[in-house]
Amino acid sequence: MGGDAAAEAAVEAGWQAARDDGRVQAELLEAAYGEPRLRRWFPWVSMGELHFSRCTENPWSWDIPYVHPACDGPYLVAGPHRNQVVGPAATAEEAIALVVQHLPADWAPAFLGDREALAAHEAATRRHRTSEGQESS
């Protein structure tokens, strides 16, 4: 997870808290935890929904699709915003596959902090990369 032991510990504690919470089906949690790209982010639970955050503290990032039980089937993948629907899924594995299909390939493991700190870190990283590129031109 990017070598940040504190962020790794926070993410692992988040997964344990999600398991202990009991509002998300165990099969869904285990399918998500079994996916390496999702396991590196912080899970959080709301109304039986399983969300993923690129930061370890609330307020969470809202830029990853999430999964919730559907009225007409086992799961519905939505998001990242509440008014966006990715699609239905018959199994936990299908739901997780839908989430993964909608992820950018270059996102780093979870950042220790909240979404404002993550945004500031990413902006500083972009500025640094841009200035490095200009120096080498």
Side-chain angles (χ1 to χ4, degrees), residues 74-93:
Y75 301 101
L76 181 67
V77 178
H81 302 289
R82 289 235 177 247
N83 63 350
Q84 297 171 306
V85 174
V86 175
T91 67
E93 292 77 14

Side-chain angles (χ1 to χ4, degrees), residues 35-66:
E35 169 51 57
R37 290 185 62 196
L38 295 180
R39 183 173 51 238
R40 65 188 183 162
W41 293 321
F42 192 89
W44 59 280
V45 175
S46 175
M47 301 180 298
E49 301 167 343
L50 178 58
H51 296 258
F52 308 96
S53 177
R54 294 188 309 120
C55 56
T56 61
E57 298 172 15
N58 195 353
W60 316 116
S61 67
W62 271 87
D63 49 10
I64 301 172
Y66 61 95

Side-chain angles (χ1 to χ4, degrees), residues 94-120:
E94 287 177 17
I96 295 308
L98 279 174
V99 171
V100 171
Q101 286 173 6
H102 289 83
L103 298 175
D106 61 346
W107 276 351
F111 178 82
L112 188 64
D114 64 16
R115 75 173 165 231
E116 287 84 15
L118 171 62

